[in-house]
Amino acid sequence: MERAAAESAGAWCRGGRTRGRVPAVLAVLTAGLLAFHRTVPNTPGRVGSLLESFLPWLGLAVVPLLVYGLVRRTPVVLVAVLLPVAAWTRLFGDLLLPADPAGPRDLVVVQHNVSDINPDPADTARALAGSGADLIALEELVPDALPAYERVLAARYPHHVVRGTVGLWSRHPLSGARTLDIKPADLTGPWSRGLRAVAATPHGEVAVYVAHLPSVRIVPRGMTSGRRDESAVRLGREVAAEPVGRVVLLGDLNGTVDDRGLEPLTSRLEVPRRGFAFSFPAGLPLVRIDQVMARSATVAGIGTLPATGSDHLPVRARIALD
């Protein structure tokens, strides 16, 4: 009887290893994509950037593999699943942790693409005014809607500057405002989607950049992000040349912080330490393309605010000034 039991157990293990070969390979491949996503080529179709845009969601592949391993009782799969779990945790585990306690030198900022077809700009402005932010950055400010934002935000944010379709509202005085030249070379028409100003906060000057990088599209041949990438390079040069030590970048960058297309910015600026804050699309948020980054400061945490009349959710971040 003991011999039969041993033979049965051995057969179960051998069968489990055989049955689980394909799921185990899939688990290893998932771990590899997570850990070495930068090695995925970006041509054709900017496949690498496309993968990195949705990289956190790749962890969901673990769920069916884990269920398979448990239901079919295949040890090799259960062990293999630990690899993508470890890789995902290394990449994104810190984002799940609670943010550090608020400090006396914190700056609260809100970033929101308000949408050029927002049906109620005044209501959106009222929601943002109640956020308690020190700085509010807005994109897709169209001429017909701009007066509503100026009127509603004026009481709490007496200082503001608008350049083209982007604007910055501040509790603190602003100076040195100018337009940023981040326009892709192949665009010939009017296009002004970047500004820079210096906010005189109680804890010193902060250079604030507001930007709306070109849109990307997912098409059958991949992702069209050439203009976005070029604009990111131009913006990165502006940030690198900024003489003020502290810099805060707020904007709809049409890319995630994992996307290599934003490396000209993420290599120079710190990204949020806590929080996923998926902001787009507002109805079913899958990615955060509304970004808050900083230099000589820490983006301690980021989260989303309730939906407005936009197809983006507003994001609210706390920045600890070093």
Side-chain angles (χ1 to χ4, degrees), residues 18-52:
T18 303
R19 290 196 306 270
R21 191 169 296 166
V22 171
V25 169
L26 291 175
V28 172
L29 288 175
T30 301
L33 288 173
L34 284 165
F36 305 106
H37 56 91
R38 292 291 187 187
T39 65
V40 177
N42 223 15
T43 54
R46 285 181 162 77
V47 176
S49 282
L50 182 59
L51 168 67
E52 289 159 350

